[in-house]
Structure formats: structure tokens, C-alpha cells
Amino acid sequence: MTNWIDIGALEDIPQRGARVVKTARGCVAVFRTGEDEVHALDDRCPHKGGPLSEGIVHGGSVTCPLHNWVFDLNSGVAKGADEGQVATYAARVEDGRILLDATDLVARSAA
Amino acid sequence: MQKLVVIGAGMASGRALEHLIEADPTAYDITLFNAEPRGNYNRIMLSPVLSGEKSFEEIVTHDEDWYAVHGITTRFGEKVVSIDRDRKVVIGENGEVPYDKLVFGTGSSAFIIPCPGHDLPGVVAFRDLEDTTAMSEASATPGARAVVIGGGLLGLEAAAGLRLRGMEVTVLHLAGHLMERQLDPSAGYLLQKDLERRGITVLTEASTKEIYGNGKVEGVRLVDGTDLPADIVVMAVGIRPQVQLAKDSGLAVGRAIHVDAQMVTSDPDIYAVGECVEFEGNVFGLVAPLYDQAKVLAKTLLGQDDTFVVKQLSTKLKVTGCDLFSAGDFADGDTREDIVFRDPARGVYKRLVIEGDKLVGAVMYGDTADSNWFFGLIKDGADIAEMRDTLIFGPAFQGGAQADPLAAVAALPDDAEICGCNGVCKGDIVAAIKAGATDLGAVKATTKASASCGTCTGLVEQVLAVTLGDDFKMPAAQPMCGCTDLTHEDVRRLIKASELKSMPAVWQELGWKTKDGCHVCRPALNFYLLADWPLDYKDDLQSRFINERKHANIQKDGTFSVMPRMWGGITTPDELRAIADAADKYGVPTVKVTGGQRIDLLGVKGEDLPAIWKDLNDAGMVSGQAYSKGLRTVKTCVGTDHCRFGTQDSTGLGIKLEKALWGSWTPHKVKLAVSGCPRNCAEATCKDVGVICVDSGYQVGVAGAAGMDVKETERLADVKTEEEVLDYTRAFIQLYRENAKYLDRPYKWVAKVGLDWVKQQVVEDVANRQALVDRFELSQSIYRKDPWAEHVAREQPRYAPIANLVQEAAE
């Protein structure tokens, strides 16, 4: 089951940049690559908790601003010699809007 | 003292003077004539000057100082009219000079094909600085076209240089393949392909009919009717010795001035050296034999014995990226056999020509690493019968050794020539190393190896490595990052030379291996581009490290620090109140006084940044840029305002400096200090630029450090006025901005380029200092502004979350 939520316009995120979505499970970083693909990952480096949304986006990767760990935006897996993985969430662009699958992100209220 | 007159300040006569003065500075009273209005420069390096890879200043070998120090009377820009051998006087345009000994160093001039139109403005040779300047000027017009007549060494270097300057270039060559005197057709083909890949059109078997144009060059027409429009035509078909003056003086002249093996002409008091010389039927165009002649001439002038001998020559092309080598004789013959190796994928071609059991010729393209070893075999006439089967694979394969480039150098005999330009063999270099020259600079200074064209630099380093073993650290050419094989220095040079003004242009033109770089190269490229093209390039926030993208220092927990500027470390009660209010309002956990005399607010949440900046802006404060690779702080003491020892207004000067420099981006952070007296309370002697006030003015020091390394500043200059301090500082910072590698602090950069060079650029050359200041101010017209105010106004949204799903409920 998916729960696509419109979180904003593609233009709201700079190319090769990111913005943060606040959720009940912590911050999620939504990245926009140089080719206008979007990817959503936990905004927390498994190494020392650095905010990945503040990193430099290059190709399909992001570099953590604290200690330069590099993560694949598709898989969330650390590249090179570093070992670790960040949780990823489905995201896509439709008619210029960014849709995020919030199934695992929204509060499981009693509704 | 005997009077020596030298006609012509070329590479050969210049080198002869060096040898002469080194051996006996008092032997002669020397007068030097030169028709060109300047002294000696390294003419073979005009190619990199043309391509923009070097400046003319870098290739000057003797400047005014050198002539002055050695007491040489210079008559530059003055032609010699005639020589009266009976009275022993040289008659120049501005009067006579008597001589006891006379040296002809009149060199050669370009051969100009006497076709119709050869005298039109816009037809140039490629011989001197004027030609080079004319070519650079022609290339300044976008879309300008050049035709180069002649596909030899000089013509191809001219073509490559003009292409690097952005011109449409066509090379016309009469023979069937390029450089036919040095290359065989296969190597010529590979060279042509490489040049065509660079966008140079090559037409072989192209015979020029006429150059046409109305009042100036408009194009070239070939015998086959082809019409090539052109804004400039470069004639590079050959050189012809300049012998008219010698002929008129009644000296024996054939193709050039006849000399014996001691460089003496038919008149025992007159000598000749260089390209104007004919010896045993040979004339000379490459630099190596000229330097040999210079050595012999100096000895002869001092009454010592030496003999010039004609040696085997090798050729290398100075076009970045085209590796070719040729030596010896490689014409086909019944008694000759070839060994050929080709690797089409790598564009490698090697051919060895063997006669009997000897190697007589070698041509290599694409991989010339072993060329010196082969050249040695040719020169020595070595017997190669034993290693014939594996000869083509080079020295590493002889005797079962591993393929190790160092092994090849280790295997070279002591008399193997390493530096062809200066005739320096391996033994000379090893001797110099053993005498204490343990790095490249020292070897260059003591032996002159790699001091001319520089292509043997790698070999010299390998000799150092072999000789010193583990004591020598090979200065590996570190690529910028995994995205490219180019070094920072290469990239900086190419950004300037090829006028690359955007990030995609760099990626494309310099063959980046990744789509859009990485976190290592992008910030460096962003800096290089904005420093070199302040008006054309738009600063790319997404290529900046987070601190510079969000104008605050990221802390280990992902929060930021905020530090307003306090000009010269001076603040007011109102500013302090505003800082205190901001700290309260945004729950700042830590307030810290910094080493640079500022107040830092640590632990601010990213999304609060625009709001806290706005509050500080409203109180009149701007960003302190405590996060930037740029001007950080100017630290001061109170100077004459309050201090009983102060000699000048150090606080006021510090504020002026900070107001001039703030906002400028630099390769790494830059910190200044101004102390009001030599007690140095502002600790100015360990800063990037540190000023010490004294009674008579200001001592400006640069290149200090107090971080990972601790180093005292070195004195750039002593000046009298505050205006001069401002000018020298801005010029120094701009020189650093234009030349240093990203993330090199000034002290590291100065260690690489040398303080002498920096002084020459900033202190001695007044016009250059002003030009540096002007370029700095041009850049500051864009960047001297408060990024906080700008981000508050325009970029605020990017500091906030794009969405908040905390309240969102699952369906």
C-alpha cells in the first residue's frame, strides 16, 4: 500500500540540492539531482548523524557534510570503503509536483 | 679590460655570456646589441606563451637587473649598421663601439614564401614576442580564423596555441604528412588525428598560391583552388640564418657564417654562435647544439681549450597532450630493418630502425617514456644484438627486470642525456644530488636540467628518486579528484587559457569522467571560475560546502554558529545588546569570544538562521563570514588611540583593510592583523597578511601561519602610508586568488611560487600591482556585500522544511 503525499513543487528544491520534510519519524531529506530525479532518504548519516540534506549532490550521490561519507541516492548504501545504509522512501515527480510515499512516515494515529 | 661586443641577445649568445661571467666576471667589458627592444628570453617557450599557459615574464631569462649586476652595457632596440674591422669598431644606429673581440649572435629570421600577398598586414612569422602578441590579438575576436603555413615543429606549436586561444585553425603542409623531417607517415598520421581531435584542420600536400586581402589579410588561396578565409596567416616554413651583416663585413659566409670548432670566424678576433653559424656544412636550429656552442665560445673567449662537435639530435613537440619523439635516421634502406609496435586503442606507435646490430633511428608516438633510453642507444652506437627480441618494449624488459619506470632510469649510463636543451647528462645530475641538491628546484638551479623547455622534468625527478632512494618523495602529479586526471594547476591554467566560464564547460572541455563532478572538485571549480571570471560566472551555491551555502558554520550536531562582523575587533554597547537579545531569543546555548576578536553564537538551528540574521542586520551588523574560504578577520590592537607605545592608528588601518577585503572569496581562509608597534599585541607575525606599525610607516608581512604549521610572516615590503598598505595587501590577495590551488593557505602557496616572485609581481612591478588591485576591485564590485541580507531577502524558503508531515495521519 502506498500513500502518495504532495510535498511541494520540483522548483522548490534547487538542482543538485535538497530540502527537508519533517515527519513523526524524524527528518527526511528530499534530493533533486542534476537530471531532475528526486530521491527521499533519512536525513541522518549512519556514521555520526550528519544532516545529508546539507551535503553536496553529485551524479546520483550525496556527500555528508560532516565527514564526507558518500551515499547512493537510489539505494541509500554508503559508497567506497565506508559501510552503512540510510533508509530510503519512494518519491516521484508528477506534473512538476513532488510526491512522497509517506506510508512509513506518518503517525500511526488511532484513526 | 678587453672590450667584448656581442651582436644579438638570443638564446645562444645569452648562454655564452652566462658561462663567461660565471667563469670570470672581470674578463671583459661587455656591450650587447639587440635589434629587438628587449634582452634575452627563452624563445623556445613562446609556444606556451601563445597558448596562454605561460606569461612572457615567466620566460625572460635575463632581466634588466641581470645586465646591471654584471655590468653589461645594453643597446636594445638598436640595429648594428656596419662593422669596421680595420678600426675594430661596431657602428650602431646611435654611434660607434670599439671592440677587442666581437661575437655574432645574429640568429635567424623566418623564411617567408615570396607568394603574392606575403607582405600584407596580418601575415606573421612565429619568431619573437611581436609575432606572438599579434597572434594573441588576432585571437581576441570571437570566431577569428587562422591559417598556419607549415606543418613542422614551429607551425604545429603555433596552431595548437591559436586553437587553445579559441581560433578556427587550418594548417597547410606541403609534404604528404606532418613533420616529415622528424616523423614517418604512421606517426604523422597519429599526430594529424590528435590535432584534428582538438579541432585543428590539417591539409597536407597543400601548396599556397597566394595570400589575398584588401589592405590586410583576408584569406589564402591554394594552387588547387581551395579558398581559406583568414584573419591572420602564420608563416612557419623554415628559418634562414641572418648573415647579411657578416657578409657585408667581409667574413667567410656560406649558408651561414663559417666557424671552426672553437667558434672562430675567418677573422681571428670575431666569433659567431647560434643559428647564424655554419660548421662543417651544418647549420643549427634546435637549442641543444646552440648551448653546446655557447659553452665552447665562452671557453675560447677565456683562452681555454674546448671543441664543438655535432651530436645526434632528438625532437620533441611541445604541444600539451601530443607525445612524440624522434631521433636518428629512419629512412628506409636495403640494409635496414624495422621493428614496429602499434596499439591502436591507445594511439601508440613505435618504430625502431636497425642497421647491422645497431639502432640508428627511433620514432615514437603516444608513449615516449623510454625515448631517452633509445636515444642513448643511438648516440652510443650500442650493440643491440642480445636484446633485439625485446628491444621495442624498452629497458624494463631487458635482463628480466620488472616493468618499473624507475628501473629504466636506474639502467641509464652516466653519460645518458637527460636534458636535451641544456645538454645535461645523468652523471651531472647524480653528482649535483650527491653534492646536496636534493630536490627538483636545487637540481634545476645547479645543473640547469629541466630549466628550459621542461619536458624532462619527470626524468629528473626519477633520477632524484633512484639516487636518493627513500629519502626522495616523488612529487606525484596529484589529480584534482577521481573525476579527472588533471591537477589543480592544470585545471586553473586551462580555465584561463581556454576561457572556460561555466561548470559544464569545464566538465565537457576537460573531459570530466563524471556527469557533474563530486564534492571535491565542485567547490574548487566554483572558486576558480568566480575568481577568474567575476563578471561572467554565476556563483553556484549547490557547488559550495554547506558552510558557504548557508553562510554559517555547521557544528557536529547539525546546528550552526552565527558570528557577526566586528570591524577591526571594535564593537559598541548597542551591538552587544543586539547580540545578547538574539542569543536569548533563539535559545543560543553557547556564546564564545573568538581568537579573531569576534563574538560567536553557537548552536543555532538551521531553520532559525534567516531570522537571527535579520535581527542582527537590523542592528547594523553583517555576516562575519567566519565560515568562508575568504576574508575572515582583521585583528588589531588599540594603537595610538589609547596605547602609550602605539606608533600608528592600527585600529583604524585594520578597519580600512577589513572594509576593503570583506566578502572576497579566496582559495582558503585569510586572516589579517595590524599591530600598532613591534610589541605586536595583535599577533600580526603569524597571519596571512600581518602589518606592524613603526614610527617610519608600516612593515607588511605575508605568508605566516598559526594552525597545523606555525610560521612567521616574511617581509613583503616596508611602506610609508596607509594607502600603500591597502594597495599591497589587495594586490597580494588578488595574486593569491588568481594563482593558488584551492585549499592552499597563502603560506603554502608562497612556498611553492617563491617570495621573490611574489615581490616582483606586487612590489617591484608597479603597473602590475595596480592591475592586480583593479582586478580585485572588479571582483569586489560583485562580492563585497552582506550575504545574510541577501539570503534573508531571497533565499529564505530554502532554510525551512519543504513540508511538515508530523501532524499528518495515516489513512
Side-chain angles (χ1 to χ4, degrees), chain A residues 27 29 41-53 71 85-87:
Chain A
C27 286
L41 288 80
D42 271 342
D43 190 22
R44 206 183 140 72
C45 178
H47 175 220
K48 300 264 179 174
L52 296 178
S53 59
F71 295 90
Q85 186 166 13
V86 189

Side-chain angles (χ1 to χ4, degrees), chain B residues 388-537:
Chain B
R388 193 180 160 128
D389 289 349
T390 57
L391 187 65
I392 193 119
F393 300 113
F397 277 79
Q398 312 312 322
Q402 289 299 305
D404 171 7
L406 283 183
V409 173
L412 289 174
D414 271 355
D415 62 353
E417 188 172 71
I418 301 290
C419 175
C421 291
N422 291 296
V424 185
C425 60
K426 182 183 160 191
D428 300 336
I429 296 173
V430 171
I433 295 168
K434 288 187 173 150
T438 53
D439 61 33
L440 181 66
V443 170
K444 204 190 268 189
T446 49
T447 67
K448 289 216 187 303
S450 80
S452 288
C453 84
T455 49
C456 65
T457 304
L459 271 174
V460 175
E461 284 172 348
Q462 288 174 356
V463 175
L464 275 158
V466 166
T467 311
L468 294 172
D470 290 341
D471 292 341
F472 180 72
K473 283 216 172 52
M474 185 74 86
Q478 276 288 343
M480 212 163 158
C481 61
C483 302
T484 177
D485 294 330
L486 297 168
T487 63
H488 279 269
E489 289 75 11
D490 289 335
V491 171
R492 279 221 87 162
R493 176 169 55 72
L494 290 163
I495 284 175
K496 289 189 181 82
S498 311
E499 304 201 2
L500 306 177
K501 298 184 181 180
S502 72
M503 203 84 76
V506 173
W507 297 331
Q508 178 60 37
E509 296 303 324
L510 305 186
W512 240 241
K513 294 182 226 167
T514 50
K515 195 163 60 64
D516 47 14
C518 71
H519 65 273
V520 178
C521 59
R522 284 245 303 279
L525 290 179
N526 190 56
F527 168 73
Y528 294 155
L529 288 162
L530 72 82
D532 286 338
W533 312 109
L535 301 185
D536 303 284
Y537 178 72

Side-chain angles (χ1 to χ4, degrees), chain A residues 80-104:
Chain A
D82 301 318
E83 283 182 26
Q85 186 166 13
V86 189
T88 60
Y89 307 94
R92 64 188 165 94
V93 180
E94 210 172 273
D95 297 332
R97 303 296 299 180
I98 303 169
L99 304 180
L100 176 66
D101 178 7
T103 313
D104 297 328

Side-chain angles (χ1 to χ4, degrees), chain B residues 151-452:
Chain B
L153 268 182
L154 203 60
L156 295 183
E157 291 183 10
L162 291 168
R163 181 66 197 145
L164 269 179
R165 286 199 174 262
M167 290 190 94
E168 300 286 322
V169 181
T170 305
V171 174
L172 305 179
H173 192 56
L174 196 54
H177 67 268
L178 294 171
M179 292 181 64
E180 80 284 359
R181 285 169 58 193
Q182 293 91 7
L183 298 183
D184 61 10
S186 291
Y189 163 78
L190 284 173
L191 174 60
Q192 181 168 344
K193 244 180 43 175
D194 258 358
L195 294 171
E196 284 170 349
R197 207 172 299 133
R198 287 150 194 262
I200 296 171
T201 308
V202 178
L203 300 179
T204 51
E205 296 179 322
S207 179
T208 305
K209 184 173 169 221
E210 61 169 345
I211 301 170
Y212 63 87
N214 192 0
K216 69 181 229 355
V217 164
E218 286 168 17
V220 176
R221 223 178 319 269
L222 304 185
V223 171
D224 68 5
T226 310
D227 181 19
L228 300 161
D231 302 283
I232 191 162
V233 173
V234 182
M235 284 259 196
V237 291
I239 53 170
R240 141 184 300 183
Q242 292 229 39
V243 296
Q244 199 55 47
L245 184 65
K247 229 183 228 173
D248 294 346
S249 315
L251 296 177
V253 172
R255 289 159 72 201
I257 306 168
H258 284 167
V259 293
D260 64 14
Q262 281 69 46
M263 313 318 293
V264 183
T265 66
S266 55
D267 178 331
D269 287 325
I270 302 183
Y271 310 86
V273 68
E275 288 179 336
C276 62
V277 155
E278 178 180 339
F279 173 68
E280 292 180 348
N282 299 297
V283 291
F284 306 88
L286 295 173
V287 72
L290 305 192
Y291 282 172
D292 284 346
Q293 293 175 4
K295 223 180 270 179
V296 173
L297 172 62
K299 289 259 177 86
T300 307
L301 283 169
L302 292 167
Q304 298 166 6
D305 286 340
D306 203 356
T307 303
F308 174 66
V309 284
V310 179
K311 287 191 205 147
Q312 284 276 6
L313 288 179
S314 65
T315 304
K316 279 182 179 166
L317 181 69
K318 285 185 297 305
V319 172
T320 309
C322 288
D323 287 329
L324 72 80
F325 171 86
S326 97
D329 182 357
F330 43 86
D332 289 322
D334 289 345
T335 57
R336 293 183 168 182
E337 291 168 288
D338 281 345
I339 301 176
V340 175
F341 172 87
R342 284 179 207 267
D343 182 347
R346 287 193 300 143
V348 170
Y349 169 79
K350 300 183 187 186
R351 174 169 163 233
L352 303 178
V353 183
I354 292 169
E355 192 160 29
D357 285 329
K358 286 179 182 162
L359 184 65
V360 296
V363 184
M364 283 172 218
Y365 195 90
D367 174 6
T368 57
D370 296 330
S371 56
N372 272 51
W373 184 73
F374 287 117
F375 186 43
L377 295 179
I378 295 172
K379 263 200 318 197
D380 300 344
D383 186 332
I384 50 97
E386 294 275 294
M387 51 186 172
R388 193 180 160 128
D389 289 349
T390 57
L391 187 65
I392 193 119
F393 300 113
F397 277 79
Q398 312 312 322
Q402 289 299 305
D404 171 7
L406 283 183
V409 173
L412 289 174
D414 271 355
D415 62 353
E417 188 172 71
I418 301 290
C419 175
C421 291
N422 291 296
V424 185
C425 60
K426 182 183 160 191
D428 300 336
I429 296 173
V430 171
I433 295 168
K434 288 187 173 150
T438 53
D439 61 33
L440 181 66
V443 170
K444 204 190 268 189
T446 49
T447 67
K448 289 216 187 303
S450 80
S452 288

Side-chain angles (χ1 to χ4, degrees), chain B residues 747-766:
Chain B
Y747 77 98
K748 287 204 171 160
W749 166 66
V750 170
K752 287 179 187 169
V753 299
L755 186 66
D756 285 344
W757 181 77
V758 173
K759 277 186 178 168
Q760 192 198 324
Q761 298 288 315
V762 173
V763 182
E764 289 151 29
D765 188 339
V766 179

